[in-house]
Amino acid sequence: MKNLSKGSFNKLFSHIYVEKKASCHPKAKEILSRFPSSQVILIEHYKDVFCRRGQNFTLQKKSPKLILAVRSSKFIYAGSDMCDSFGNSNFVCSSQIMNCLYDCEYCYLRGMYSSANIVVFVNIEDTFSEVLKILPAYICVSYDSDLLAFEGLAGFVREWLEFCERNPKATIEIRTKGGSLSSIENCKPIPNAMLAWTLSPEPIASKFERGAPSLERRLAQMRRALDAGWKVRLCVDPVLKLNGWREMYGQLAKECKMAVKLTELLGVSVGAFRANSGYFKKMCGLQPDSEIFAYIDGYSSGEAVRYSDEEEIVKYVSELFEIP
Amino acid sequence: MILIVSALQLEAEPFIARNRMKRVLTRKSLQLFKGGSAMLAVCGSGPVGVAVAVSEIMSFAGVNPDRDLIANIGMAGGRPPLAPGDIAVCNKIACSFTGRTLYPEMLISHPFKEGALESFGKPVHGGVCGLDLADMEGAFFWEAASFYLPASRIHCIKVVSDAFEPESVSRKLGASLMKNAAATIYDWLEAAAEALLPDDVKSALDERQMRALDEVCVSLHLTFAMKSRLEALCKKANARSMDFLPILREEALIRAEGKKEGKLRYEKLIQRFVQ
């Protein structure tokens, strides 16, 4: 027992909390069958676990639990002003999974949720019914999670692709840092679905994007996706202002251009780090010694937190990725 | 510090012996014991005693929410496959009075079994409890403890004494079951407390930096609010690996003539950190 030393946290999804009304859903059964040794705990409502008081996000990240639930409302919501709609008028988001497998230090999810546990809403068919009512629409399906990283667990990307194939007026963006393109290898690329890779310079990815694939792997996956005929967007978002950021993003641009031709891409989206002030306050509380937040001095409550030289940063990085 | 709350003396005895705890004589209203880095309260059966004991032990220990840990350890009736002698960590705790259900954090791996516990106000038999375990303290303990500590630092550990036949448990049997379980439980609590220790905050100011900061505050006649802002900036500078000690020392060298000059120099100093 004495050798149960520091670091003896339970493994990923050691416990799975299942809403009673979700327990009979085929998706829940399918997911549970993948974790035969996990403890299954029946709950009334996902918020009983996800919104408990006294949770510690940082500790929970060391041993995240899975919560299987049924979403009963808010299947889709309007895209945030802080996100790029890429000129689409009906820009909405869907959140079939809340929280992420990766632990990125700058991620707004750390400020948005009080729990690091992962909620999977098993009833994706109800989301599809709601989306049908608002078509045509541009739907970001992977903002509050990395859906592709969960593909082996939940299979939602495949279901979204099948939905889009049946409904050409639905255009989806699947944003990812994921390296698991193989999980949708058998899916046919379709014109109204795009994969969007979020890239960061390797020193940033290795230091601040815990658990996420390396830059090299992401670029390799992007290459594979392009070769397979997928529409691909590159997202350099958020750009982080750290010591030597200009050199780091310069190097990133070079590596991207070596891996893919920028003309092959649907576009490159660039955005500097920004956050809702309430979320930012919580994020700073979780990581008081964060190097990322140390470059932001002062912000007003109720206003978005941004770098004072945001425009200059975005302009600089955008120019690095300009097509000659 | 590890805090333990048990209902009965016989449940507490092995922990008192192991840690060579001594009775805290200044607390007459409650049996409180202290030894090494552990403290224990014997609260008696039922909801009121356990809530009072949690409050009392927390205030007496001057609980630190970043380092301390509390556990309710005691006997409980258990449904098969749980058998007498099994140690079970409660992963779900229901309160029969309020109808509320609580979900403890299951962060640390353990060698025990797990079960869902229901807490009642009196001893119960088989048909009444719909969950794996039944006791008279767990839920009330958890609710009370959560006023003081985060969920990750509250544990409810039960030693199965019977299959919902409380009258079948003799003092001798109870003492023996607890004695057999105590060492494993306590070792695990120690390991859990260590695992849950927070990481060092790298941005914290060291002694030299604190001294330089104090000198600047005196030199520039800074108010409490101004000092707080400067201290926050220094911490951020540490996170950015900026060597700001020479800047502070330089500023501390010449004392400002008055508050007005101090304020002007302070604003310039702030700019050097923000750049």
Side-chain angles (χ1 to χ4, degrees), chain A residues 152-215:
Chain A
L153 174 93
F156 287 145
V157 173
R158 181 180 296 269
E159 293 193 40
W160 269 111
L161 293 171
E162 286 166 3
F163 173 80
C164 287
E165 204 171 356
R166 292 193 302 271
N167 299 281
K169 286 183 179 174
T171 303
I172 60 165
E173 184 206 277
I174 303 153
R175 195 164 285 206
T176 185
K177 288 192 179 92
S180 55
L181 190 69
S182 52
S183 55
I184 53 162
E185 214 149 36
N186 299 332
C187 298
K188 192 175 69 179
I190 49 173
N192 52 333
M194 75 194 72
L195 298 168
W197 262 272
T198 302
L199 300 184
S200 301
E202 186 53 34
I204 291 179
S206 57
K207 191 170 179 186
F208 300 112
E209 296 173 352
R210 292 177 281 271
S214 64
L215 172 64

Side-chain angles (χ1 to χ4, degrees), chain A residues 1-2 4 6 8-10 15 39 41-43 52-54 59-60 65 289 291 294-297, chain B residues 92 103-109 111 114 146 151 187-188 190-191 197 202-203 229 233 236 239-240 274:
Chain A
M1 181 62 62
K2 278 290 180 194
L4 187 66
K6 194 163 182 171
S8 53
F9 280 77
N10 274 320
H15 293 72
Q39 286 275 349
I41 301 166
L42 281 182
I43 57 175
R52 287 172 293 179
R53 76 173 179 186
L59 282 176
Q60 286 179 339
K65 312 300 178 207
D289 56 354
E291 191 181 340
Y295 286 85
I296 294 173
D297 174 49
Chain B
K92 174 175 178 175
Y103 298 92
E105 286 282 21
M106 305 303 296
L107 294 174
I108 309 296
S109 61
E114 285 188 19
S146 64
D187 283 348
W188 180 76
E190 279 188 326
L197 280 178
K202 294 172 209 77
S203 63
R229 176 150 191 238
L233 287 172
K236 284 187 173 186
R240 303 196 303 253
V274 176

Side-chain angles (χ1 to χ4, degrees), chain A residues 197 199 215-228 230 232-236 252-268 320-324:
Chain A
W197 262 272
L199 300 184
L215 172 64
E216 190 186 353
R217 180 153 174 81
R218 285 181 230 178
L219 287 171
Q221 294 297 302
M222 260 175 73
R223 182 67 266 163
R224 271 182 66 193
L226 285 166
D227 291 343
W230 288 95
V232 173
R233 176 178 283 140
L234 191 158
C235 303
V236 188
L252 173 68
K254 266 189 209 164
E255 287 174 49
C256 286
K257 286 170 189 171
M258 277 163 66
V260 297
K261 283 184 193 157
L262 296 184
T263 47
E264 293 178 280
L265 301 170
L266 202 61
V268 180
L320 292 173
F321 286 90
E322 252 171 31
I323 297 163

